[in-house]
């Protein structure tokens, strides 16, 4: 569970590119959708939904009025650019999860190498795995070879998708239908190059950014470093501390974070105080216009004998 703080006025938002993508799939330019209904469709809290809407409204992709949210003309074009066909399937011959979901990405075969990248992206999102297939010369094949899939598997996929040459099919698999769909969609976005918003750094983070505003960046780093604890704060506000995929402190600062804010350079050292005393930390500044506006750090618990118990104990305390 994400932490709640009266200082910050509500729950910390947590979402990923799947929820951003699904926001566009849930909206159109004619029929308004209310924020509460959209939140339910996305399966996330209203705080996270508000954050997503703020981001895409700043890009001119949606209009928010009393009757609800609709896509602008620019939003409609953006939705087309990231569209994927999605279908629930059951293909146990290729997958290892309880539930499967397939997506079709049009004309993206050129971006596929061996399928490992898509599988890894799906796993990082919480899926069990993903299988990538390419449609070439009238048949579905495994990437990097001319080896075709089983005819029964191809028949199941053809029953849900109208395949065309150079299409990519990714089958996400997971313990739930949502995790399977999320894995497949995240993998599909990976081969598209991700969601391309016209952000500058100053639009994302500033010296006064709250924990709410830097949480997405902190979670991205947390995922990138394989779940190691991550701490981050802006220059003028308290920050965030993440362990085990959850916010455990959303009004945080630490001595090394403050040291890097002052020095403006990356510091690698053993923490001498605070919750990570005795553990190696790496903290680096985030700069804009030659000024340090924020800092973010990783706690290398792997460097300490027996510290695997650290997160486990904190997880037990929160149960």
């Amino acid at each position: 569970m994400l932490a709640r703080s009266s200082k910050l006025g509500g729950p910390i938002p947590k979402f990923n590119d799947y929820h951003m993508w699904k926001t566009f799939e849930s909206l159109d330019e004619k029929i308004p959708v209310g924020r509460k209904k959209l939140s339910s469709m996305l399966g996330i809290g209203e705080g996270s939904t508000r954050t997503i809407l703020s981001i895409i409204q700043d890009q001119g992709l949606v209009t928010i009025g009393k009757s609800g949210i609709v896509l602008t003309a620019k939003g409609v074009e953006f939705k087309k650019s990231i569209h994927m066909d999605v279908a629930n399937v059951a293909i146990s011959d290729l997958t290892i999860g309880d539930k499967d979901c397939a997506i079709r990405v049009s004309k993206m075969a050129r971006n596929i190498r061996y399928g490992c990248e898509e599988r890894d992206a799906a796993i990082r999102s919480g899926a069990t795995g993903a299988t990538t297939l390419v449609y070439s010369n009238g048949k579905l094949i495994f990437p990097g070879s001319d080896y075709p899939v089983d005819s029964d598997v191809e028949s199941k996929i053809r029953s849900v998708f109208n395949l065309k040459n150079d299409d990519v099919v990714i089958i996400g698999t997971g313990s739930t239908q949502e995790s399977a769909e999320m894995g497949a969609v995240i993998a599909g976005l990976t081969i598209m190059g991700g969601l391309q918003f016209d952000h500058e750094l100053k639009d994302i983070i500033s010296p006064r950014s709250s924990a709410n505003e830097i949480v997405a960046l902190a979670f991205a780093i947390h995922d990138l470093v394989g779940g190691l604890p991550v701490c981050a704060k802006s220059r003028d506000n308290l920050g965030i501390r993440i362990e085990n995929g959850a916010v455990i402190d959303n009004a945080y600062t630490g001595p090394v974070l403050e040291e890097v804010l002052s020095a403006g350079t990356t510091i690698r050292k053993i923490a001498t105080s605070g919750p990570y005393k005795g553990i190696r930390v790496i903290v680096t500044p985030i700069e804009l216009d030659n000024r340090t506006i924020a800092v973010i750090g990783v706690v290398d618990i792997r460097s300490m004998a027996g510290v695997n118990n650290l997160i486990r104990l904190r997880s037990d305390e929160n149960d």
Side-chain angles (χ1 to χ4, degrees), residues 93-94 131-136 139-151 153-154:
D93 292 344
L94 286 181
T131 301
T132 302
L133 303 171
V134 174
Y135 191 67
S136 178
K139 60 183 179 180
L140 271 173
I141 61 173
F142 291 95
S145 74
D146 291 325
Y147 187 76
V149 301
D150 182 84
S151 59
V153 172
E154 179 161 344

Side-chain angles (χ1 to χ4, degrees), residues 33-310:
V33 176
R35 186 182 286 115
K36 286 187 176 181
K37 182 178 179 181
L38 180 61
S39 176
S40 176
M41 295 165 77
L42 299 180
I44 57 177
E46 289 188 47
S48 295
T49 303
R50 282 194 297 271
T51 302
I52 290 174
L53 291 174
S54 177
I55 292 170
I56 63 179
Q57 185 180 32
D58 287 346
Q59 299 292 319
L61 301 173
V62 295
T63 298
I64 303 175
K66 291 183 179 180
S67 58
I69 307 133
V70 294
L71 294 176
T72 63
K74 182 179 177 182
V76 171
E77 291 305 309
F78 185 79
K79 177 179 178 177
K80 291 178 181 176
S81 73
I82 60 170
H83 177 71
M84 290 176 261
D85 293 328
V86 180
N88 293 334
V89 293
I91 308 181
S92 58
D93 292 344
L94 286 181
T95 62
I96 57 176
D98 295 328
K99 301 292 183 180
D100 300 328
C101 180
I103 58 110
R104 182 187 74 90
V105 188
S106 178
K107 303 294 183 182
M108 282 288 172
R110 66 185 181 278
N111 291 347
I112 301 298
R113 298 180 64 192
Y114 302 106
C116 302
E117 298 84 359
E118 295 78 52
R119 177 202 64 203
D120 293 346
I123 291 173
R124 285 194 298 271
S125 77
T128 305
T131 301
T132 302
L133 303 171
V134 174
Y135 191 67
S136 178
N137 297 321
K139 60 183 179 180
L140 271 173
I141 61 173
F142 291 95
S145 74
D146 291 325
Y147 187 76
V149 301
D150 182 84
S151 59
D152 288 341
V153 172
E154 179 161 344
S155 177
K156 289 179 180 179
I157 294 174
R158 284 183 177 276
S159 71
V160 294
F161 295 141
N162 180 22
L163 297 175
K164 297 180 181 179
N165 218 37
D166 294 328
D167 283 355
V168 176
V169 173
I170 300 174
I171 306 162
T173 184
S175 58
T176 65
Q177 203 65 58
E178 181 187 25
S179 65
E181 179 175 299
M182 187 181 297
V185 168
I186 289 291
L189 290 173
T190 298
I191 65 175
M192 291 181 179
L195 295 173
Q196 300 296 321
F197 291 126
D198 299 326
H199 276 312
E200 295 181 6
L201 180 59
K202 64 184 180 181
D203 298 322
I204 302 171
I205 191 169
S206 78
R208 294 175 297 280
S209 291
S210 67
N212 276 352
E213 294 168 321
I214 62 174
V215 66
L217 174 62
F219 268 113
I221 300 299
H222 183 59
D223 289 341
L224 187 65
V225 297
L228 294 177
V230 168
C231 308
K233 74 177 296 290
S234 65
R235 186 192 67 195
D236 300 333
N237 260 316
L238 293 173
I240 201 113
R241 185 155 65 98
I242 296 172
E243 290 181 7
N244 260 5
V247 174
I248 63 169
D249 191 343
N250 56 12
Y252 177 74
T253 189
V256 185
L257 295 181
E258 295 295 342
E259 185 177 351
V260 171
L261 276 171
S262 176
T265 187
T266 298
I267 292 177
R268 299 170 173 85
K269 65 185 298 185
I270 303 296
T272 57
S273 62
Y276 301 114
K277 181 179 179 180
I279 304 175
R280 185 170 183 264
V281 297
I282 305 169
V283 180
T284 193
I286 299 172
E287 296 183 347
L288 180 66
D289 298 329
N290 296 317
R291 294 182 303 125
T292 298
I293 62 172
V295 290
I296 190 160
V298 175
V299 183
D300 189 8
I301 60 173
R302 299 169 302 180
S303 65
M304 297 294 294
V307 296
N308 285 336
N309 293 324
L310 175 71

Side-chain angles (χ1 to χ4, degrees), residues 7-25:
K7 293 181 180 180
L8 297 179
I12 296 290
K14 183 181 179 184
F15 56 89
N16 60 27
D17 279 358
Y18 166 76
H19 302 102
M20 301 283 285
W21 172 86
K22 195 163 185 175
T23 297
F24 288 96
E25 290 296 304

